[in-house]
Amino acid sequence: MKLPEEPLNEEARIRELLSLNILDSEADANLDMITELASSVCGTPIALISLIDSDRQWFKSRVGLSATETPRDYAFCAHAINQPDEVFLVKDSTQDERFVDNPLVTGEPHVIFYCGVPIVTEAGNAIGTVCAIDNQPRELNEFQINSLKMLAQMAAKFIQSKYETDFLSDQLSAMNRTLDNSGAFFLKVNNEGNLLDFGGKWKKILPELTEGQFFDELFEIDGYNGFSELIEEHKTRKFVNFKDKKQRSFKASMLRLSGRFMLMALPDISLNQKLSDYNLTIEDFPEYKELTDFMFLNEIGRKDLKEVERMNLRISKQNSELKKALLNIEKLSSFPDQNPNPVIRVGRDMQVIYFNQSSKHLLSLFDIKNDFSGFDHLSDLVSLLFGGFKEMIQEEVVSFQGRTFVFSLVYYAEHDFVNIYGFEITNYTNKITEQSNDLKELNFKLSTQENFLQNIFDILPADVALFDKEMRFRFINKSAVKDDERRQWMIGKTEREYAEMRGVPAERIDKREAFFKNIILSGKSEEWIEESVNSDGQTRYFLRTLNPPALNDEYNEFVIAYGLDITEQIVSKKKLEDLNMNLEKIIEKQTRENIELNATISETEKLVAIGELTMGIAHDLNSPIASIRVGAESIRETLEDLFHGLIHDCTREELEFACNNAMDGKAVPFMSGIKSVKERTQIESYLVNDRHLTKELASKLADGFVKAKIEHHEKLKIEKVLNSRHPEDFLKLMKSIHTIRQMVDTIFHAANRSADVVSDLRKFTRSAVHQSKECVNIKDSVTNVLRVLSSNLKGNVDIHLELDGECCVTAIPRDVFQVWSNVLKNAFEAIGEKPGDIWIRSFVREGRTIVQFENNGPMIPQDVLPEIFNRFKSTKGADNTGFGLNIVKRILETNQWDVSITSQTDATIFEFLL
Amino acid sequence: MNLFPKIALICVDDDPSILHVLHFQLQKMIDTNAVLCEFFESPEEALSTMASITEQNIDIIYILSDYQMPKMTGEEFLRVAKRRYPKVTCVMLSGQADETAVEKLKSEGLLDIFIAKPWSEEKLFDTVRNVLKESELNPSYLLLKQKSM
């Protein structure tokens, strides 16, 4: 079942409906006629005039139906009123999903067919319908539908005019009542202006009022100089305003009767004048509403009744609204006892007229018993309400002793009391306070955090800035901008604005902006080094990074910029680079110097070698030369002796004998001294003893025999000499010739020796000059070197040669000599002063010529071995410089020879593989 | 004259030619009956003979030695000789010996005179004469053969 919707103007509609006073009213003949007509014209058993109330439909007129009302939810008419201009037609409700399960369909009165036309008031509110209903499906023709439309219009007119008429008649009767009542305020005055009679109420207003008093004595008439002037205007009825001596105003309508005037007067109540001024109370005017109506009427009294009626209508509408409101309040106030909230009623005298149970506690809290004026917070407001200075309904929030209340104050003018409704909202306010406290705490925490973060950022030695997407500064730390004021200014400004402020040239600003935008677009972070000159004129370098917000991240909306002063690093780096460059230059220079040094050393080494060689040669030549000289000298001397005497005195035979003796194989040039002495003694004794010569002669001859190298056993020779003519001279001759022969030998040997030395030297020098490779015989080269180094050879070293005479190597002879001489020199030095041996071997092994130098000197330490070819590395103590082996290394490399060195105790072997 | 030599003069050199010419020169200067002159090719030989000489009560007053010799060097020889015969005059005759080494030997008292090869006969004669003089021997042992110079 579809529930009927509420029309948009429901509130206004209901108001109007209520104002018509038609609900629950008695039957109306006119409206009954309409339903009769509807039923007969449409041919339906049921016709209704239904009015839709807030929660029901009530039937003002009905044909064929006993029920007087149904719930609005089931009402077809409730649907109908939603389209005020249209006919609501349901041909078969059982086929209509809106109504198929409607209780009025399924049960009594079985509404199967429905046709309803809304009753629309002049104001446009559809207050109900005129409808025709059947228990079976049917249709209506055009005439019937049009008829229903007309009937609905008529019903609207009837209802409205009835209301107006009723209203009017109500008003009239009210007026009559008012007039009746106002009779209590009448004043009867004669032509002369004497007060003939007056109503009872005057006693209250003017207690001293008596009959016979002149009107003019009592009252002042507005616009007229006295009563006589008033009655000069001949009008049957007029309205009169007058004041009494106390300046209290009255309004009256005056009737001219024969010889008398009847004034129906009432106090003119306004803001400035209260009933109490007239010594009257509200009780004196039971129909106070009508009184205001009456007064209003008086204001516009000269207008048309129609006008009045219309005005009355408006007033009554307003009043009905007010009535409703008051009704609602009355409802509340009718059972304030049951109101769970406090209700207190206070009278004009600030006395508590009434209070409900719930307010007891409140009153005691504010320590109020009867006198409400003790309620500080509200008493003033109440007074103002009574004085009419405020709107009739006021609200006030009061906090007291930790509790909070909302008070609604309503002034009931008709009863002249103020109702105060209270509602405690302490809990709510507490909650709110709590919440606001929490909020405060949260804010405080947040601001603390913010401060904390700000501090951290400020302490950072790096510049940090946050930008939003439009490149506006959202945050800058102290390091980036030191001046607090400037920082403040910058927040919210764009990068551009800041740059402009500093006077940065326009193109740089544009460039920078474009750069930033690019980064943000690409979403990639960038890093670059920026050079800038600070306020002190220093050039500083900054490493800057810009980190754009990550895409698709709603929380990460900021662009973060960092700047780090890396001047020191850059400067250090530059210094380092310079240093490196310098270092390279230094190294270059050093290398060049090294090369020169090398060259110098080589030269020096050569010179040293030459020097040593020279010394050796000098020595080697000295001896032969001395021998030759002395030998030659001796031969000359001897020959002189020979030619100056000896040779003349000897026979040829003697000469022959002497020569033979000389040539006689005795290679020994001299006898040992002791042997000589022995020989001499023996010869002498033989001569003396066997040959019976004189001692003197024997001594002389013995001398001569020894000098002639004749030994005592050589008897034949001795005889020969003794038998010569001049034995002494003969002996001298023999000696001389012997000497000559010996000296010639000596000279010969010496000369040979010299030749050898010179030959060695030639070989050496030749090899120094010629640089081409030749086939060098190993054995020859070794022997050569040994000869050259013979001066180095001391007696303690024995050299053992095991050289293959056939081994050759193709090399520059000088190189070969260098290698051998260096190795040998080092070997000599290694062996030192002790007895030692050197073995030099050559052989062929696996196609390579091997030359070995072994010495039994001290072992070369293991850690020194690898370094042994390094210049300046020597095992021989601080005084020795290992020049030689370095040269050897170079020669080995050039010729692609290998060397292996093994060293153990007493056996060090340098093995060269050529 | 039947003199048995009382003093000895020793010459050592590894070159026989040198010994030969030394012999020739010395026998001109000295009466070989009075002064024993021995010539050796190596210090070892010399030392062993010198021992037997002294056994025969012959004073060795003069040693003439070469410097550069295989096996025992002149320096070593002189060192031994001086130890055994403290009073002997040592003369070095050498073709190769640097100044420092000579000075060193002189300062150590091992060497009295140094003669470089080739030498002059007169120089040699001077040394011999001085030695003989010093030994207070009969100067007739010394044969002055002026004309041989």
Side-chain angles (χ1 to χ4, degrees):
Chain A
M1 180 187 89
K2 185 166 184 235
L3 290 172
E5 285 165 21
E6 237 177 47
L8 290 166
N9 61 344
E10 176 69 6
E11 215 179 296
R13 196 189 67 81
I14 289 286
R15 245 186 285 134
E16 188 169 13
L17 178 63
L18 289 173
S19 71
L20 295 172
N21 278 327
I22 191 173
L23 289 169
D24 302 312
S25 60
E26 291 190 352
D28 187 307
N30 293 321
L31 296 176
D32 285 341
M33 238 190 335
I34 288 173
T35 45
E36 291 280 356
L37 272 171
S39 168
S40 46
V41 164
C42 295
T44 54
I46 302 166
L48 307 163
I49 292 179
S50 137
L51 297 167
I52 311 297
D53 197 0
S54 49
D55 53 3
R56 59 171 176 157
Q57 69 174 344
W58 178 78
F59 307 125
K60 174 70 177 173
S61 174
R62 46 203 158 78
V63 167
L65 191 69
S66 55
T68 54
E69 64 180 57
T70 73
R72 184 173 173 169
D73 288 347
Y74 306 145
F76 283 61
C77 305
H79 292 266
I81 59 165
N82 287 328
Q83 294 89 33
D85 306 322
E86 291 174 18
V87 174
F88 192 76
L89 184 65
V90 179
K91 291 182 185 165
D92 185 353
S93 63
T94 57
Q95 303 303 311
D96 196 319
E97 60 177 14
R98 293 174 292 182
F99 306 108
V100 68
D101 54 352
N102 190 313
L104 303 177
V105 173
T106 55
E108 288 291 333
H110 298 290
V111 177
I112 308 296
F113 168 81
Y114 172 95
C115 182
V117 180
I119 300 168
V120 185
T121 63
E122 258 180 47
N125 294 316
I127 55 171
T129 66
V130 172
C131 58
I133 292 166
D134 205 341
N135 305 116
Q136 59 195 353
R138 64 180 301 122
E139 284 195 41
L140 291 178
N141 60 31
E142 207 178 319
F143 170 72
Q144 285 165 322
I145 291 174
N146 283 339
S147 304
L148 262 183
K149 277 189 188 169
M150 271 174 52
L151 285 170
Q153 281 171 16
M154 281 166 66
K157 276 215 166 64
F158 270 127
I159 291 168
Q160 284 207 267
S161 68
K162 172 93 176 21
Y163 163 76
E164 283 170 16
T165 320
D166 283 346
F167 179 72
L168 221 55
S169 69
D170 276 344
Q171 288 292 56
L172 286 168
S173 52
M175 272 172 66
N176 284 330
R177 275 202 309 283
T178 309
L179 284 167
D180 287 339
N181 280 334
S182 71
F185 289 94
F186 78 88
L187 289 163
K188 207 187 264 181
V189 184
N190 65 10
N191 280 340
E192 286 74 39
N194 294 99
L195 197 65
L196 297 172
D197 197 3
F198 54 85
K201 295 286 177 187
W202 282 106
K203 274 275 189 271
K204 274 189 166 181
I205 300 168
L206 286 169
E208 61 273 20
L209 194 73
T210 52
E211 291 161 17
Q213 276 178 304
F214 276 100
F215 192 86
D216 288 332
E217 279 174 13
L218 297 159
F219 305 109
E220 218 177 86
I221 305 165
D222 285 350
Y224 298 96
N225 287 324
F227 192 76
S228 38
E229 203 176 291
L230 177 68
I231 60 176
E232 263 174 29
E233 272 188 1
H234 237 286
K235 277 200 173 167
T236 312
R237 197 178 172 115
K238 31 150 92 152
F239 289 107
V240 181
N241 294 329
F242 58 88
K243 286 193 177 83
D244 70 358
K245 290 295 181 225
K246 286 184 185 169
Q247 297 300 311
R248 292 181 291 191
S249 340
F250 296 90
K251 282 184 198 300
S253 69
M254 191 172 80
L255 268 171
R256 185 187 280 263
L257 299 170
S258 54
R260 300 189 279 278
F261 299 91
M262 192 78 121
L263 285 90
M264 307 298 173
L266 280 171
D268 188 4
I269 308 294
S270 67
L271 270 174
N272 299 324
Q273 293 183 140
K274 298 184 236 170
L275 284 175
S276 50
D277 292 339
Y278 298 88
N279 303 324
L280 298 169
T281 67
I282 196 100
E283 313 303 332
D284 296 313
F285 300 89
E287 301 293 336
Y288 189 65
K289 179 180 82 71
E290 284 84 7
L291 191 71
T292 53
D293 290 347
F294 175 73
M295 285 180 193
F296 202 56
L297 210 59
N298 282 346
E299 285 291 306
I300 51 154
R302 297 200 181 119
K303 299 220 169 123
D304 281 346
L305 200 63
K306 233 186 195 171
E307 187 73 29
V308 171
E309 280 169 13
R310 263 194 226 116
M311 297 303 290
N312 276 340
L313 206 67
R314 249 180 264 147
I315 293 164
S316 68
K317 271 189 191 167
Q318 282 172 7
N319 282 339
S320 65
E321 279 174 39
L322 188 64
K323 202 175 183 178
K324 192 176 176 203
L326 290 173
L327 252 163
N328 284 336
I329 293 168
E330 198 59 51
K331 270 189 196 161
L332 269 176
S333 64
S334 68
F335 48 97
D337 277 322
Q338 290 150 41
N339 198 326
N341 290 308
V343 181
I344 303 164
R345 190 172 294 165
V346 180
R348 191 172 273 271
D349 53 0
M350 299 304 284
Q351 295 300 305
V352 176
I353 300 169
Y354 167 86
F355 59 91
N356 69 351
Q357 278 293 105
S358 317
S359 59
K360 261 199 191 149
H361 176 74
L362 193 69
L363 286 169
S364 66
L365 193 71
F366 286 97
D367 197 28
I368 306 290
K369 290 199 173 62
N370 287 316
D371 189 358
F372 197 76
S373 50
F375 201 129
D376 293 325
H377 306 85
L378 296 180
S379 51
D380 286 336
L381 196 58
V382 171
S383 305
L384 287 170
L385 277 173
F386 276 122
F389 292 105
K390 292 258 183 184
E391 297 289 321
M392 281 197 279
I393 301 173
Q394 290 293 317
E395 230 173 58
E396 181 85 348
V397 177
V398 174
S399 288
F400 185 75
Q401 292 182 354
R403 298 166 73 162
T404 314
F405 300 89
V406 172
F407 290 106
S408 298
L409 297 92
V410 185
Y411 172 56
Y412 289 90
E414 62 192 69
H415 302 291
D416 202 29
F417 58 63
V418 172
N419 270 0
I420 301 159
Y421 305 95
F423 188 73
E424 185 167 358
I425 59 164
T426 311
N427 287 341
Y428 302 110
T429 51
N430 281 349
K431 270 212 181 81
I432 289 165
T433 313
E434 251 174 55
Q435 276 176 0
S436 75
N437 281 341
D438 285 342
L439 215 69
K440 271 191 200 151
E441 219 180 283
L442 211 68
N443 275 337
F444 179 72
K445 274 195 184 143
L446 269 170
S447 74
T448 314
Q449 257 183 12
E450 233 181 82
N451 283 341
F452 177 65
L453 281 171
Q454 175 91 32
N455 280 340
I456 288 184
F457 277 120
D458 281 337
I459 292 167
L460 273 180
D463 305 345
V464 180
L466 285 178
F467 296 95
D468 64 17
K469 283 198 181 130
E470 279 85 43
M471 299 309 297
R472 273 193 285 262
F473 288 99
R474 303 314 300 182
F475 170 80
I476 312 146
N477 78 338
K478 261 212 173 91
S479 171
V481 176
K482 295 196 179 32
D483 184 47
D484 291 338
E485 263 184 55
R486 178 175 280 209
R487 267 211 318 285
Q488 288 274 53
W489 177 83
M490 280 168 77
I491 305 287
K493 304 278 187 308
T494 61
E495 166 78 26
R496 176 174 275 269
E497 284 170 287
Y498 178 52
E500 276 168 3
M501 196 263 282
R502 283 180 302 156
V504 176
E507 332 112 30
R508 260 183 74 178
I509 300 178
D510 292 334
K511 218 168 146 195
R512 208 179 164 78
E513 206 174 63
F515 180 61
F516 279 8
K517 281 197 178 129
N518 229 16
I519 291 171
I520 290 170
L521 268 172
S522 72
K524 288 191 239 168
S525 58
E526 282 284 341
E527 211 177 75
W528 70 95
I529 296 177
E530 211 172 73
E531 192 181 314
S532 68
V533 181
N534 69 359
S535 46
D536 300 326
Q538 277 183 316
T539 308
R540 313 268 335 161
Y541 297 91
F542 291 89
L543 179 70
R544 297 207 179 281
T545 62
L546 206 60
N547 297 296
L551 298 171
N552 304 320
D553 185 345
E554 60 184 277
Y555 296 109
N556 198 4
E557 284 185 357
F558 296 102
V559 176
I560 306 174
Y562 296 109
L564 197 62
D565 189 335
I566 54 166
T567 312
E568 264 77 40
Q569 283 91 309
I570 297 276
V571 165
S572 304
K573 188 170 150 200
K574 284 203 174 135
K575 277 191 188 154
L576 214 67
E577 282 168 6
D578 289 339
L579 213 67
N580 270 343
M581 269 189 2
N582 279 342
L583 215 65
E584 278 172 22
K585 283 189 192 145
I586 290 169
I587 289 171
E588 243 184 74
K589 191 165 160 227
Q590 282 285 30
T591 312
R592 264 187 282 116
E593 281 176 9
N594 274 354
I595 291 169
E596 284 166 14
L597 198 66
N598 274 346
T600 312
I601 288 170
S602 300
E603 289 308 311
T604 311
E605 282 170 344
K606 277 191 203 151
L607 285 173
V608 165
I610 288 169
E612 285 176 358
L613 186 68
T614 313
M615 286 220 312
I617 288 164
H619 174 262
D620 290 347
L621 283 177
N622 274 338
S623 298
I625 287 168
S627 305
I628 293 166
R629 268 181 53 177
V630 177
E633 186 67 40
S634 67
I635 290 172
R636 195 168 61 82
E637 276 178 26
T638 310
L639 282 172
E640 256 193 54
D641 284 343
L642 269 175
F643 288 126
H644 282 141
L646 292 168
I647 217 151
H648 297 297
D649 296 337
C650 65
T651 62
R652 190 164 179 267
E653 200 194 335
E654 283 167 354
L655 192 62
E656 237 181 85
F657 184 77
C659 289
N660 285 336
N661 186 42
M663 301 308 282
D664 188 9
K666 285 197 184 125
V668 178
F670 51 84
M671 256 183 260
S672 102
I674 292 190
K675 191 173 177 196
S676 306
V677 170
K678 280 188 185 149
E679 284 296 321
R680 193 183 169 287
T681 315
Q682 277 172 313
I683 292 171
E684 199 182 329
S685 88
Y686 170 70
L687 285 175
V688 165
N689 299 333
D690 291 24
R691 301 301 290 197
H692 311 292
L693 292 175
T694 58
K695 203 148 190 237
E696 200 187 334
L697 189 63
S699 172
K700 268 195 194 157
L701 285 175
D703 241 357
F705 274 114
V706 168
K707 284 185 176 150
K709 311 282 189 289
I710 296 172
E711 290 172 29
H712 76 281
H713 60 84
E714 293 177 291
K715 295 291 189 306
L716 281 169
K717 286 190 185 167
I718 294 173
E719 284 308 312
K720 188 79 189 189
V721 168
L722 287 173
N723 292 334
S724 68
R725 289 174 297 125
H726 302 284
E728 275 181 67
D729 289 338
F730 189 34
L731 283 169
K732 277 186 187 160
L733 179 73
M734 284 181 74
K735 176 191 159 230
S736 299
I737 295 184
H738 195 89
T739 303
I740 290 168
R741 192 242 158 158
Q742 292 291 341
M743 286 306 165
V744 166
D745 272 344
T746 302
I747 290 167
F748 181 70
H749 284 121
N752 275 341
R753 182 127 164 73
S754 306
D756 282 342
V757 171
V758 171
S759 162
D760 287 341
L761 177 64
R762 278 176 69 211
K763 280 202 184 128
F764 184 81
T765 50
R766 184 162 38 108
S767 65
V769 171
H770 290 258
Q771 295 198 28
S772 56
K773 292 196 182 179
E774 41 182 85
C775 183
V776 179
N777 183 293
I778 304 287
K779 187 170 181 183
D780 286 346
S781 63
V782 169
T783 338
N784 268 341
V785 170
L786 282 170
R787 262 210 294 271
V788 168
L789 291 180
S790 64
S791 57
N792 281 22
L793 291 175
K794 295 174 193 168
N796 57 324
V797 180
D798 283 330
I799 306 205
H800 313 270
L801 301 177
E802 295 159 29
L803 298 166
D804 183 343
E806 303 301 319
C807 283
C808 281
V809 65
T810 308
I812 300 169
R814 175 190 61 186
D815 287 348
V816 180
F817 289 153
Q818 283 272 48
V819 176
W820 302 160
S821 71
N822 278 317
V823 173
L824 283 169
K825 273 213 293 240
N826 277 285
F828 292 145
E829 283 181 40
I831 291 170
E833 308 280 305
K834 299 178 305 233
D837 300 274
I838 295 178
W839 294 264
I840 310 175
R841 308 183 189 96
S842 74
F843 49 88
V844 175
R845 186 208 297 156
E846 289 163 15
R848 280 192 97 163
T849 309
I850 314 281
V851 181
Q852 259 186 10
F853 292 82
E854 183 181 339
N855 72 73
N856 55 4
M859 184 176 96
I860 300 171
Q862 282 301 312
D863 53 339
V864 171
L865 260 182
E867 304 274 310
I868 204 157
F869 283 111
N870 285 341
R871 178 176 301 141
F872 306 122
K873 190 74 190 165
S874 171
T875 57
K876 299 158 207 158
D879 293 333
N880 283 309
T881 50
F883 276 155
L885 287 178
N886 181 0
I887 295 177
V888 168
K889 181 181 172 191
R890 273 197 280 117
I891 293 169
L892 291 177
E893 279 166 10
T894 320
N895 288 283
Q896 291 176 325
W897 294 338
D898 297 310
V899 63
S900 81
I901 309 165
T902 48
S903 183
Q904 300 150 352
T905 337
D906 298 337
T908 304
I909 304 176
F910 279 69
E911 192 174 275
F912 294 92
L913 299 92
L914 309 176
Chain B
M1 293 183 276
N2 206 7
L3 296 155
F4 194 79
K6 297 234 170 36
I7 51 178
L9 204 131
I10 311 292
C11 292
V12 184
D13 197 314
D14 59 331
D15 188 349
S17 310
I18 298 288
L19 290 174
H20 191 204
V21 304
L22 276 172
H23 172 78
F24 180 80
Q25 284 180 334
L26 282 171
Q27 56 91 23
K28 280 196 290 181
M29 298 177 202
I30 303 169
D31 179 0
T32 50
N33 291 322
V35 181
L36 188 65
C37 294
E38 293 290 7
F39 299 87
F40 305 98
E41 285 186 56
S42 74
E44 294 91 342
E45 280 177 48
L47 283 168
S48 66
T49 310
M50 276 155 80
S52 61
I53 288 170
T54 42
E55 275 169 26
Q56 291 174 54
N57 293 314
I58 303 171
D59 281 329
I60 300 171
I61 58 163
Y62 185 97
I63 296 175
L64 181 72
S65 173
D66 187 19
Y67 184 71
Q68 197 80 12
M69 288 184 284
K71 295 221 187 303
M72 196 185 277
T73 63
E75 183 184 328
E76 286 158 357
F77 170 57
L78 288 180
R79 223 179 271 274
V80 174
K82 268 288 188 179
R83 206 172 46 239
R84 289 193 195 171
Y85 315 102
K87 292 200 185 116
V88 76
T89 303
C90 292
V91 181
M92 195 166 283
L93 184 72
S94 182
Q96 173 235 53
D98 61 303
E99 269 181 39
T100 15
V102 169
E103 285 312 309
K104 182 167 155 250
L105 288 171
K106 277 192 178 168
S107 67
E108 283 181 56
L110 296 173
L111 183 65
D112 300 296
I113 302 150
F114 175 79
I115 303 173
K117 289 180 191 168
W119 67 95
S120 68
E121 204 176 329
E122 184 164 345
K123 185 116 199 243
L124 185 67
F125 181 68
D126 280 339
T127 63
V128 173
R129 186 180 50 191
N130 289 335
V131 148
L132 286 177
K133 259 196 187 158
E134 272 173 33
S135 65
E136 291 163 3
L137 294 165
N138 192 341
S140 65
Y141 295 165
L142 201 64
L143 298 172
L144 298 161
K145 279 251 179 96
Q146 310 282 4
K147 82 171 173 94
S148 62
M149 301 309 151

